[in-house]
Amino acid sequence: MPAKRRSPQWPWQGLLVLILIGLAAGLWFATQRIHYEWRWSRVPQYFLYHDEASQTAPVAGVVLAINPSGADSRIELQPEGGGQPVAVTVETDTLKVKPGDAVAEDQDLGAVRSWKIGPLTWGLWVTIWISFVSGLIGMVIGLITGLCRLSPNPTLRGLAILYIELIRGTPLLVQIFIFYFFIGTVLNLDRTVAGIGALALFVGAYVAEIIRAGIQSIPRGQSEAARSLGMSATETMIYIVLPQAFKRVLPPLAGQFISLIKDSSLVSVIAITDLTKSGREIITSSFATFEIWFTVALLYLVVTSILSQVLFWLERRFARSD
Amino acid sequence: MIKVNKLFKTFEGRGGQIVRAVDDISTEVAKGEVVVIIGPSGSGKSTFLRCLNGLEDFDDGQVVIDGIDLTASKTNLNAIRREVGMVFQHFNLFPHKTVLENLTLAQQVVRKRKPAEAKEKAMKLLTKVGIAEKAQEYPSRLSGGQQQRVAIARALAMDPKVMLFDEPTSALDPEMVGEVLDVMKQLAKEGMTMAVVTHEMGFAREVANRVLFMDFGRILEDAPPAEFFTAPKEPRAQTFLKQVL
């Protein structure tokens, strides 16, 4: 049997590697030209840092004794005016007094260290939960609007079309401002609520169109079969049409939710400290502009990649019946 | 069992002309009777059949199923439809449910049967149509003939009083037609009231009590099969039979 003729792949793969190396080199030369000094070592502390809290003497007095226990030391203080001795615990290597020393009130005795969550981690968390909550609400809004859009009732259909066109025809940034400064002021909303509300309304309009298309893609025979078995229109929608439609719209929905995570960076304009705003704040104090922006971009990329993997897995699970 | 009185159904065709799909039909189907409706395509036989369970809403006239008027304002169409089983040309099985779930879903949702009861009924019917071993498969894994037999079982699971068949073998490969017709014959033998739109003349000859010949939305001939196939009175029926036989 003759072997199948196949053009070799490796020259093209080699070219790909070459182009990537070229891009990396270009980036390096570009930063050389502007004399940028990379300080990647400054970045980790914005995720997690070791905080030192200094411990001060609660009263003026004399150090009676210092009892080490593990890495800590317990300082016994005899107050000046007499009375019960007072104890302060510090870490041994930060100890600043000896037994017999006289200490003034509020004098620094040593410190206790603890791990603290940095602003980048915190910002990432805010981005994730704001996206999650607004995505969830947007999904509900989208489902209801999508069904209204297909309703035979002209009022429901008209309202749905109006909402979808309004949202899709205006920029999200403007919607966020309107939601925060107008609706937020009228209803006295917290900025987080306003941000989530604006994002949810925004994503809801797009989800509605996706769901409408999904429902319309299910053949009429499906609902006819369900109706011929005596199911009501609602039962047909719940048991027959929506499950099949949902399976079909999963890929476009995934794209929409990935967009939502990225679009959520716009809520930083109403002073919600999400990942983007955290990054901006850190830059003002660290001057590691490039490093922080690259890190922020990478974090968004990680979150969106994880989400797309999860949805891909869901899609494959639903494909069982194909 | 089925009483149809002066039924009209029109569609608006392209260019605004009115197409009379069902044009002044009156007929009756008695309990246990098997009526086969034949005619050229576009003659309105499927539309007529779909009017019988309200899947198609008609413009004028009256359809009475088991004493209940479909057009009466207080009639609950869903309640009637569960008494009228329907089998479609393209099966219309629910692709996201297993064969067993296809049979149990409506029993549980509409008839409010317990899951165990619905499952027992479903398995009994699947055994009857000869595909009990496929109960856990999804419909896409079944051949056309098997899918259509599942569809028949699904309709029977609701314990209907009437069964409507809308060209049940037209979408099947020739070698699978037999297995579906066998199930239908058995059903007829058990005394089910059936209205069947089909091109299977052999089935009509063998099983039908009456043959209705339709064209232009009207019933042109209504006769027992022996009479219809040997000596049709209508010239339209004569030419039609000459073409298909």
Side-chain angles (χ1 to χ4, degrees), chain A residues 95-106:
Chain A
L95 202 56
K96 287 181 180 156
V97 288
K98 298 192 299 290
D101 282 359
V103 295
E105 196 176 337
D106 288 338

Side-chain angles (χ1 to χ4, degrees), chain B residues 41-240:
Chain B
S41 56
S43 60
K45 39 192 203 311
S46 285
T47 310
F48 169 59
L49 196 74
R50 289 156 59 88
C51 286
L52 296 183
N53 69 347
L55 221 46
E56 204 82 62
D57 38 271
F58 38 91
D59 303 331
D60 197 16
Q62 204 181 21
V63 174
V64 181
I65 305 277
D66 199 24
I68 304 168
D69 188 350
L70 247 65
T71 38
S73 59
K74 59 175 184 289
T75 300
N76 178 1
L77 262 185
N78 297 329
I80 293 193
R81 287 201 186 109
R82 73 181 73 149
E83 310 296 341
V84 181
M86 184 150 192
V87 176
F88 300 85
Q89 181 178 357
H90 296 288
F91 331 134
N92 296 347
L93 292 178
F94 307 135
H96 61 304
K97 305 249 173 229
T98 63
V99 167
L100 186 65
E101 288 164 348
N102 262 277
L103 267 71
T104 54
L105 178 69
Q107 291 191 63
Q108 286 169 237
V109 173
V110 179
R111 291 271 191 218
K112 309 288 178 212
R113 288 180 186 150
K114 297 265 176 316
E117 188 192 352
K119 192 179 166 190
E120 197 193 321
K121 173 104 196 161
M123 287 312 296
K124 210 182 285 173
L125 284 166
L126 284 176
T127 312
K128 184 175 170 183
V129 299
I131 24 181
E133 75 280 3
K134 303 277 188 192
Q136 299 305 332
E137 297 273 14
Y138 283 96
S140 56
R141 302 242 183 278
L142 270 56
S143 73
Q146 290 171 328
Q147 289 194 44
Q148 194 60 298
R149 284 186 281 153
V150 172
I152 295 173
R154 178 177 69 179
L156 290 175
M158 300 301 287
D159 294 317
K161 295 178 178 145
V162 181
M163 284 285 281
L164 309 177
F165 294 84
D166 187 5
E167 304 202 20
T169 56
S170 300
L172 294 177
D173 290 338
E175 76 268 25
M176 291 169 182
V177 170
E179 60 191 63
V180 173
L181 291 181
D182 285 343
V183 171
M184 291 168 63
K185 282 174 199 164
Q186 196 193 338
L187 214 55
K189 228 175 280 169
E190 289 167 9
M192 175 62 77
T193 311
M194 290 161 65
V196 185
V197 170
T198 187
H199 294 294
E200 294 297 327
M201 297 304 152
F203 176 80
R205 213 182 293 222
E206 189 182 337
V207 184
N209 299 109
R210 272 160 62 207
V211 174
L212 305 184
F213 176 76
M214 275 185 77
D215 203 1
F216 308 116
R218 293 163 187 254
I219 295 178
L220 296 182
E221 188 147 0
D222 180 349
E227 195 177 309
F228 177 78
F229 285 108
T230 47
K233 288 187 215 84
E234 276 290 322
R236 275 294 296 149
Q238 289 165 4
T239 38
F240 177 75

